[in-house]
Amino acid sequence: MKKIIFILASFILYACSIKPTATTGYNYRITKIDSIENTYLVYAEKIDVSIKNTAIIKIASAKSKTDCKRENLITVDKNYKLNPISLYPKNLVSHNLRGITYNGTLVHFDKDYNIKKDLFITENLKGLCYKE
């Protein structure tokens, strides 16, 4: 009986220590960083894709004056845990949408078929500063 209680207690403690993926995010590799007016555009791709550079997303981040330490600045070809949120209008079925407005700037969709026709934001980026 003591063994069963010990095993159950161990299982419960282990289950409580597992973090759900919604809070930890997914690993993305930064492929490109660009800017337009008052917005940074960060191109990223999940690191577990089978063919590289075929499923890239574009993440918008407002340009802001932040005291970001050098080691927290995002850089190209490094991996980061991100939890992107789509800005594409819900319940919209249109093939004529040319872009999405973010931070007062119209961000056009890329003509490259490997980049999703969507715009994302994430809480992990403030300007070009990565925060966990």
Side-chain angles (χ1 to χ4, degrees):
M1 185 68 171
K2 289 181 182 180
K3 288 181 182 180
I4 294 173
I5 292 174
F6 176 74
I7 292 171
L8 286 175
S10 298
F11 179 73
I12 290 171
L13 289 174
Y14 175 74
C16 290
S17 67
I18 297 174
K19 295 181 183 176
T21 41
T23 59
T24 58
Y26 298 100
N27 284 322
Y28 282 88
R29 178 180 58 87
I30 305 301
T31 60
K32 177 181 168 184
I33 299 173
D34 201 355
S35 68
I36 178 173
E37 295 179 23
N38 57 356
T39 303
Y40 289 114
L41 301 174
V42 179
Y43 294 79
E45 181 177 45
K46 282 187 181 179
I47 61 171
D48 60 354
V49 295
S50 57
I51 302 172
K52 291 199 180 295
N53 297 322
T54 58
I56 298 172
I57 63 169
K58 188 177 352 181
I59 302 170
S61 179
K63 289 183 181 178
S64 61
K65 295 181 181 183
T66 59
D67 294 328
C68 187
K69 296 179 182 174
R70 187 176 195 150
E71 62 268 10
N72 291 341
L73 284 174
I74 60 167
T75 57
V76 175
D77 287 329
K78 285 205 173 179
N79 299 336
Y80 300 93
K81 284 202 179 284
L82 301 174
N83 192 13
I85 302 164
S86 174
L87 293 178
Y88 198 87
K90 291 182 179 23
N91 300 324
L92 177 70
V93 181
S94 172
H95 300 289
N96 297 321
L97 192 62
R98 302 284 184 231
I100 296 175
T101 302
Y102 174 79
N103 198 26
T105 303
L106 177 62
V107 180
H108 291 279
F109 295 141
D110 289 57
K111 293 180 182 177
D112 185 349
Y113 289 105
N114 295 327
I115 300 172
K116 289 188 179 182
K117 304 292 185 235
D118 199 346
L119 185 64
F120 295 85
I121 58 170
T122 181
E123 295 176 355
N124 302 90
L125 293 180
K126 185 157 184 111
L128 292 178
C129 191
Y130 176 74
K131 57 181 185 169
E132 293 184 43

